[in-house]
Amino acid sequence: MAQKISLTRYLVEQQRSDGSIPSQLRLLLEVVARACKSISQAVNKGALGGVLGSAESENVQGEVQKKLDIIANEVLIEANEWGGHLAAMASEEMDSIHLVPNRYPQGEYLLLFDPLDGSSNIDVNVSIGTIFSVLKKPENGHGQGVQESDFLQAGNKQVAAGYCIYGPQTTLVLTVGNGVAMFTLDREQGSFILTQEDIQIPADTKEFAINMSNQRHWAEPVQRYIGECLAGKEGPRGKDFNMRWIASMVADVHRILMRGGVFMYPWDKREPEKAGKLRLMYEANPMSWIVEQAGGAATNGTDRILDLAPNKLHERVAVVLGSKNEVERVTSYHTAL
Ligand code: AHM
Ligand code: MG
């Protein structure tokens, strides 16, 4: 029987073979995975653990927080504070950055996360997840501790990115820049086991994911693209398309990694000053890198997401990602204007 490869073994072997995972980064990834296991336990217990429902508070973006948003955020912070691998963290659920307390050693990395993505699905038992992104702390000239500006690096500077999906299985998907690997949580062993390596997204697809209820608010290029998909065989694309919308980015992206597709959360007219709904640093950057590492593409309609220079921590962005040829088509409809 083929030997099972745990996440620890995978990381150790990567570290040995090409040096792409320095030991602090390896520790960081193991700690994040351990935190995800703990979040997965809480998600699993649901009503029995008293974790469902609203926390009756709002985050910095004015969104009502669920109890699990706060629990997941705390689990990630507590797990990551003491190991000596991090300098600071930033989260979708916290107004400002969280420095590693002085009583612990300071590490070289910055960790950003959306602790519980797909919050609207928590109480209805639909897949949700944790998304994370790792940056190197810049050698700064400001002579002070870590500041928010240290986090404002383009997505192409990430040194690791991943997500953990809490669905029928709990699955961790990871990239350190040499392809995408997937690990499934073995609950009996309590460890993540490698179940797929070098994941590739097919370049073509017949499946799109978008919240159709916003259709009347979209800009022309998105109207055109979706209109052509909906026209099916009789339309300009000459084929029928299928649609899926889970309303958890982790779950929609995971499906695209497994079988292809295009995911969009575009700019729309409701709040024209907002670039989009999703957050650049916690959602779009890590997912875009994973998708690119799997042979897909990711843009904001016009530009590669990973090349965008962030102006603030909680910046929002329009997102088009997935099967390469389809993303290029949507992007060409925007740039043709
Ligand atoms: P969240 O991080 O607060 O859960 O919000 C992000 C989520 C994404 O996972 C998902 O793609 C999108 O919001 C769904 O939005 P909508 O409810 O408009 O369909
Ligand atoms: Mg989210």
Side-chain angles (χ1 to χ4, degrees), residues 92 114 117-119 211 245 247-249 263 265 277 279 283:
E92 187 181 304
D114 177 356
D117 178 62
S119 306
N211 185 339
W245 184 249
S248 290
M249 189 192 199
F263 168 94
Y265 213 117
K277 173 180 179 182
R279 270 64 41 138
E283 296 167 322

Side-chain angles (χ1 to χ4, degrees), residues 58-66 69-70 72-73 76-77 89-97 111-120 129-132 249 277-284 286 313-316:
E58 278 190 2
N59 65 14
V60 64
Q61 292 133 95
E63 296 159 343
V64 175
Q65 292 175 305
K66 300 283 178 131
D69 287 323
I70 294 176
N73 195 58
L76 280 156
I77 288 185
M89 293 173 251
S91 161
E92 187 181 304
E93 300 301 337
M94 297 189 294
D95 300 7
S96 45
I97 63 169
L111 174 65
L112 301 97
F113 46 83
D114 177 356
L116 218 289
D117 178 62
S119 306
S120 71
T130 297
I131 310 173
F132 62 93
M249 189 192 199
K277 173 180 179 182
L278 300 176
R279 270 64 41 138
L280 176 62
M281 311 287 295
Y282 316 111
E283 296 167 322
L313 210 49
H314 297 289
E315 187 161 325
R316 293 176 191 261

